[in-house]
Amino acid sequence: MRLATWNVNSLKARLERVEAWLSAASPDVLCLQETKMADDAFPALALGALGYEGVHHGQGRWNGVAILSRIGITDVVHGFADGGPPDDEARLLTARCGTAVVVTAYAPNGRAVGHEQFHYKLAWFERLAAHLDAVADPSEEVVVCGDLNIAPEDRDVWDVEAIHGATHITDEERARFQRLLDWGLVDAFRRCYPDDDRLFTWWDYRAGNFHKHKGMRIDHVLVSEPLAERLSWSLVDRNARKGTGPSDHAPLLIEVEPEAVPA
DNA sequence: ATGGTAGAGCATCTA
């Protein structure tokens, strides 16, 4: 199974690039974040023409997440299944694709440490942990992916001193990321590149940061052990961040070998 | 120089 996650920063503005990328990269599952559209604007026909079924959880101007799959989509859950009230913001979508439970997430940015939105971010990760308990078990095939808006380590940031005191790198946020790993998930990209620093998935549009390689690794694919033990490779497609009209995020892919079938 | 760009939608808000 080939699975990818991509914060597209508006699916409407990025549809042609998404279509071209699907054809070139040929993922079985593509999780999207920041679609910035309402459910009735989701381009199901255009994506269906490429062989992908899609489910979308949106609200209009902001946020919005989707799962595209050519290996089936069932058991769709919009938002949190933790028993709490509905989230005001469309940031979470869960579905079964083939044999895997796939959770796609667009975590809150946090804006500034101590800001109301920062507390919302921390609480949002608490709910995500409870959501995982409700929809999946780490002994099965589970993928939690998306723009988590956390750089797990200092080496996942271009210059940690330059953003000292900012969001994405605080101990509180990193503890929430670690909690996902403790639940039974493996950071697939880091497992493939244990010794490489400054490999990023996002670069600010401003000040030519992409070309200066000033970015962060804030998009992640976390997989349960049954998938991690069959993980073949992972990569960030930086070419998709180039050219005219890119998202500020690059797609992140993983490839998992098929489960061995006894002869 | 406390900046810069992009998207939604038409004044700002969010990132």
Side-chain angles (χ1 to χ4, degrees), chain A residues 204-224:
Chain A
D204 198 306
Y205 282 122
R206 296 170 288 188
N209 276 8
F210 178 72
H211 301 285
K212 298 174 189 167
H213 198 54
K214 291 181 169 184
M216 290 198 277
R217 190 171 75 91
I218 55 176
D219 302 85
H220 304 287
V221 179
L222 311 181
V223 297
S224 60

Side-chain angles (χ1 to χ4, degrees), chain A residues 85-108:
Chain A
D87 193 350
D88 289 337
E89 305 186 5
R91 297 182 173 278
L92 191 69
L93 188 58
T94 304
R96 176 171 292 277
C97 301
T99 54
V101 176
V102 176
V103 180
T104 187
Y106 174 48

Side-chain angles (χ1 to χ4, degrees), chain A residues 132-179:
Chain A
L132 293 183
D133 284 331
V135 300
D137 186 279
S139 67
E140 53 183 334
E141 296 181 3
V142 184
V143 180
V144 179
C145 69
D147 177 2
L148 300 186
N149 269 318
I150 297 173
E153 301 177 80
D154 286 353
R155 61 180 173 149
D156 297 316
V157 177
W158 82 96
D159 182 353
V160 75
E161 290 305 317
I163 60 167
H164 181 74
T167 59
H168 297 64
I169 59 170
T170 67
D171 290 343
E172 294 106 308
E173 290 161 288
R174 287 173 172 173
R176 296 330 189 262
F177 184 87
Q178 183 61 45
R179 173 178 298 198

Side-chain angles (χ1 to χ4, degrees), chain A residues 77-87 92 126-135:
Chain A
V77 179
H78 293 250
F80 289 117
D82 62 346
D87 193 350
L92 191 69
E126 303 296 325
R127 294 194 68 179
L128 178 58
H131 175 77
L132 293 183
D133 284 331
V135 300

